[in-house]
Amino acid sequence: MKTSTKFFLLFLVCLFVLNNNAQNQTKVSIVSNDLGMKLKVNGADFMINGMNWDYIPIGTNYSYSLWSQSDEFIKKALESEMSLLKDMGVNAIRVYTGIQPKWITYIYKNYGIYTMLNHSFGRYGVTINEVYKPVTDYRDEATKKLLLDEVSSLAKEYKNTEGLLLYLLGNENNYGLFWAGSETEDFPDDAEMKKAMGEKRGRPMYQLFNEAALLMKKIDANHPIAMCNGDVLFIDIIAEDCKDVDIYGTNMYRGKSFGDAFQKVKDKLNKPILFTEFGVDAFNALNKEEDQKMQSFYLTENWKEIYANAYGLGKTANSIGGFTFQFSDGWWKLGQTINLDVHNEEANWTNKGYDLDTKNNSKNMNEEWFGIAAKGFSNDEGLYQLYPRAAYYVLQRVHQINPYEKGITAKKIENKICKINQKKALKKGLKNKMLLESKQ
């Protein structure tokens, strides 16, 4: 074969590969007009019915990685979990870095579920020159270079991944300015302290968020960049220093209502709002017992507001969805590294918004009980089974609602949600609870 012919055939092969990648790449955009803001995925309207998802067996903690297991094991785990999520109507999961691109595509192709890829952006410390620093200083030049290099590499590696929905930077990093580690604590009340911390350490952090977003968008123009902030703390600084971040993501726990969050984000930022975390535990801190009915109530109220503030429905019209927290219980959350095989019933922080199980400011947030599904112990293969709670069946119906449907209104959405049979959902959840208890 002539050399020129070989080169021509090689050119055709390369062209085919490039065209195939371009066709399979998920293209996500934000529409913003007089009717509001919404996502489009490959040209179709997309409301995020998301779930915070991980795979952490009882007896392990955050250091466990599903993605370091064998392909056979991963496929079995995904079949168990993603089948439940698909049946629940979940169309996107929030996953931290560590998942390989092939599994994002695998999940999408086999279950129709997209992935929001989350880089913690220094939330849990950084390692500089082989020295671990538990509190990230975003003013430090070496730290800035490390984080920008990491997110640039991330965008390069994942930009052509079919099934990728968004990039998410951080995880309530503004709270990390006040405490180190991932275990939630009660938040300081002093306003002057908050303001001073925002200027000293917060502003450099948000400036770096913006720089990261600009870098990533130069590499990948097909996937918006979201940030993850704790509630709306420091939103004025964000308005000044994060103009190039596409989506305001927030972990928000306010009880049954998000209050003024939609309006504040619209007025201050003029960006879509995405609830990267919200929800409630399934344990009643006053009664000291599982309370599936309470969990379903709060989640139902939250989703009412997420839908009511969607594009074209006449309210703030900047809501693009949310990721309920979380799919299964995290038995490691209290203590992080101890008693990993104990389902701890101790509440570790107070939130007055969830007033059904707090009295006189008593602690009521049980970090180990946030699962929409309860978790069983692993079998001989290392795999575990989930047992859906009432909230699973309620959200299954909620996720069937399309806020972009022709002729839909906020009132019609509310009526649809009100018609959901909560008693039937609770009956199913309690039946699953009995089944789990019989196997433990």
Side-chain angles (χ1 to χ4, degrees), residues 233-270:
L233 179 64
F234 304 138
I235 194 169
D236 290 320
I237 298 176
I238 293 169
E240 294 171 0
D241 291 327
C242 291
K243 296 183 185 298
D244 297 292
V245 173
D246 300 306
I247 296 167
Y248 183 76
T250 176
N251 291 357
M252 188 171 287
Y253 296 90
R254 293 188 177 184
K256 71 177 185 179
S257 175
F258 296 115
D260 63 351
F262 301 95
Q263 193 65 52
K264 183 167 284 189
V265 171
K266 182 177 182 179
D267 293 342
K268 297 274 187 178
L269 305 179
N270 194 32

Side-chain angles (χ1 to χ4, degrees), residues 54-62 64 73 81 328-333 336 338-344 368-369 373-379 382-387 389 436 439-440:
D54 56 31
Y55 193 90
I56 301 180
I58 295 171
T60 65
N61 61 9
Y62 54 83
Y64 178 89
F73 183 93
E81 303 262 322
S328 62
D329 289 335
W331 284 45
W332 59 274
K333 287 293 184 74
Q336 308 280 308
I338 59 174
N339 297 325
L340 301 180
D341 58 353
V342 176
H343 204 183
N344 204 298
E368 296 196 359
W369 291 78
K375 182 180 295 180
F377 285 96
S378 300
N379 61 18
L383 298 162
Y384 59 78
Q385 185 175 345
L386 296 182
Y387 297 82
R389 294 188 169 115
L436 170 60
K439 293 186 176 182
Q440 299 292 62

Side-chain angles (χ1 to χ4, degrees), residues 188-237:
D189 292 324
D190 188 270
E192 289 303 316
M193 176 189 172
K194 291 180 188 177
K195 184 177 179 181
M197 187 65 77
E199 287 299 329
K200 182 180 179 181
R201 294 183 55 205
R203 190 175 292 275
M205 179 185 74
Y206 290 121
Q207 290 171 345
L208 196 62
F209 268 112
N210 199 69
E211 193 173 345
L214 285 170
L215 275 176
M216 295 176 76
K217 288 197 282 188
K218 285 181 180 178
I219 298 166
D220 182 357
N222 289 319
H223 299 94
I225 313 297
M227 66 182 298
C228 178
N229 201 56
D231 208 286
V232 293
L233 179 64
F234 304 138
I235 194 169
D236 290 320
I237 298 176

Side-chain angles (χ1 to χ4, degrees), residues 5 9 55 60 95 97 119 122 132 142 172 184 201 204 231 286 292 300 323 327 331 363 372 391 395 412 420:
T5 305
L9 289 174
Y55 193 90
T60 65
V95 181
T97 53
H119 186 286
Y132 172 65
E172 55 191 38
T184 306
R201 294 183 55 205
D231 208 286
L286 293 179
Q292 297 189 28
T300 302
F323 291 83
F327 193 42
W331 284 45
K363 292 183 178 181
I372 303 304
L395 293 182
K412 287 181 179 179
I420 295 173

Side-chain angles (χ1 to χ4, degrees), residues 29-90:
S29 60
I30 299 170
V31 171
S32 182
N33 55 35
D34 291 343
L35 292 177
M37 305 172 194
K38 61 180 175 180
L39 279 187
K40 278 188 175 288
V41 178
N42 293 331
D45 292 342
F46 193 89
M47 167 62 66
I48 297 176
N49 293 124
M51 183 65 66
N52 279 267
W53 177 81
D54 56 31
Y55 193 90
I56 301 180
I58 295 171
T60 65
N61 61 9
Y62 54 83
S63 63
Y64 178 89
S65 174
L66 173 64
W67 316 115
S68 64
Q69 311 303 314
S70 69
D71 283 9
E72 181 183 7
F73 183 93
I74 293 172
K75 287 180 180 179
K76 287 181 179 179
L78 292 178
E79 173 60 22
S80 174
E81 303 262 322
M82 295 301 145
S83 295
L84 280 171
L85 285 166
K86 180 181 179 181
D87 288 346
M88 189 184 179
V90 168

